Amino acid sequence: MDIVTDRKNKAAIENLRIDGERLWDSLMELARIGATPKGGVCRLTLTDLDRQGRDLVCKWARDAGMTVTIDKIGNGFMRRAGRNNALAPIVTGSHIDTQPTGGKFDGNYGVLAGIEVVRTLNDHGVETEAPLEVAFWTNEEGSRFVPVMMGSGVFAKAFTLEHAYAATDTEGRSVKEELARIGYVGTEEPGAHPIGTYFETHIEQGPVLEDNDKTIGVVTGVLGIKWYDCTVTGMEAHAGPTPMALRKDALQVATKLMQEVVAIAHRHPPHGRGTVGMVQVHPNSRNVIPGRVKFSIDLRNATDALVDRMDADIRAAVERASKESGLAISIELVSHYPAQPFHPECVQAVARAAEKLGYSNMPAGSGAGRHAGAGRSRLAPDPGSRTRARRRAPRAE
Ligand SMILES: [Zn+2]
């Protein structure tokens, strides 16, 4: 292809606009499968409803001239051929399973937006250089089977296919049985599928965009995470007879540390996060001074270096609190997920497009480690959002 035609083609693509109404109609039609009375969706992974959802999405893909490949963990890849099919495809997608009280847009928007892009290219007869694919990943939500982000996890070799197959729901039914039952065990080896570049459009799963009055969040990466268990050991004693000066109150010391977790996050803006979400007080009795308190700590930030600084801060705080109180305090790192910056060219592509189309936007970190990919949009009132770009698929919760 000569340069002139190439330029023309580029201009033609830049002037394309998707059909928003058609996308909306597809979103509403898919949301009818598993619709809940309050306007949400309950379509748990690998249920009959999930099969109906998958069947509908695959039908839409085939109607748009795409071929559908299912891999052994039930991930779907819907492909539109390019001019050079030896190139690895440009992939977009998300998930269509939902939480028990899920919304219409979480995940579904990312998959159907991809199909709408293909429909738009078809309408205008645009041929792309590399093939395009729209992916849906099995059990991203993890409400029925653990681990969460299962399909993308197997694809990215975070764990094995056998491990995923063996997972069971509360009624003892396994992923393998349920995949077979709904007819979505494919033949392709997970991960065998090449991916050139991956973008994911997702509704925001936090309040930041609304708070900043922006439409698009250009996600620059997934935050690094460290999880800890912290245990403060004091001495149980009766609340009445024990004078204040003679107490070893584990909860009083623990609450100071909990405040410190939040303070540390505030000292490392803008992406620092500090959360205590789980507390166990022993013996948990109204008139007994707590003898032992165990609580969780979740620290996050945009780079591993920043997470390490927060790590040093919490350890120093533990040491200080132990010295001051005379109580034994242990802090144990239980999980660590490194920060994952997305490829800068992909991030810039999302920012450029938002700018060009006149959508207000801002850089954003993905606080949740979810799904496969850079960007958010505040399109829809739902509990989640992201548009992400990266070279390969998924990561950690
Ligand atoms: Zn989602």
Side-chain angles (χ1 to χ4, degrees), residues 94-95 106-107 140-141 200 202 205 370-371 386:
S94 194
H95 61 96
D106 177 21
E140 279 289 289
E141 294 292 48
E200 179 163 336
H202 203 282
Q205 288 177 303
R370 323 223 24 200
H371 316 328
R386 220 162 326 162

Side-chain angles (χ1 to χ4, degrees), residues 13 26 38-39 50 55 83 108 111 120 205 218 245 268 290 333:
I13 287 180
S26 295
K38 281 164 110 180
D50 185 31
D55 287 354
R83 190 180 299 128
N108 298 291
V111 174
T120 303
Q205 288 177 303
V218 180
H268 294 86
L333 181 70

